[in-house]
Amino acid sequence: MSRFSEVRDLILGMEEDFVKFYEKGNQAAGTRVRKGMQDLKNIAQDIRKEVQDKKNEG
């Protein structure tokens, strides 16, 4: 479940930047949101691979 915590922490950590970008138009926050979303994508892909490997083991 540590991977789930990692995803949750990443999303919660991006909340302030989402607000700054979407509500205040802060462009630098948009860059941080994009980076965070890329990190989230990579973590999700790693989790998918772990699940698939574990499923195929037994």
Side-chain angles (χ1 to χ4, degrees):
M1 289 292 287
S2 67
R3 300 296 288 196
F4 176 76
S5 297
E6 189 177 348
V7 169
R8 183 182 61 217
D9 293 343
L10 178 61
I11 291 171
L12 291 175
M14 291 189 313
E15 182 177 11
E16 185 177 339
D17 287 326
F18 269 97
V19 170
K20 285 181 181 178
F21 179 71
Y22 283 109
E23 293 181 8
K24 299 178 183 176
N26 183 317
Q27 297 301 312
T31 300
R32 291 189 297 272
V33 167
R34 286 184 31 235
K35 183 193 180 309
M37 295 304 292
Q38 184 66 41
D39 293 343
L40 182 61
K41 175 188 168 198
N42 292 335
I43 292 169
Q45 191 162 351
D46 291 343
I47 292 170
R48 289 187 73 228
K49 184 176 181 332
E50 285 177 18
V51 169
Q52 186 70 32
D53 291 345
K54 192 166 200 150
K55 186 185 86 161
N56 289 339
E57 284 177 359

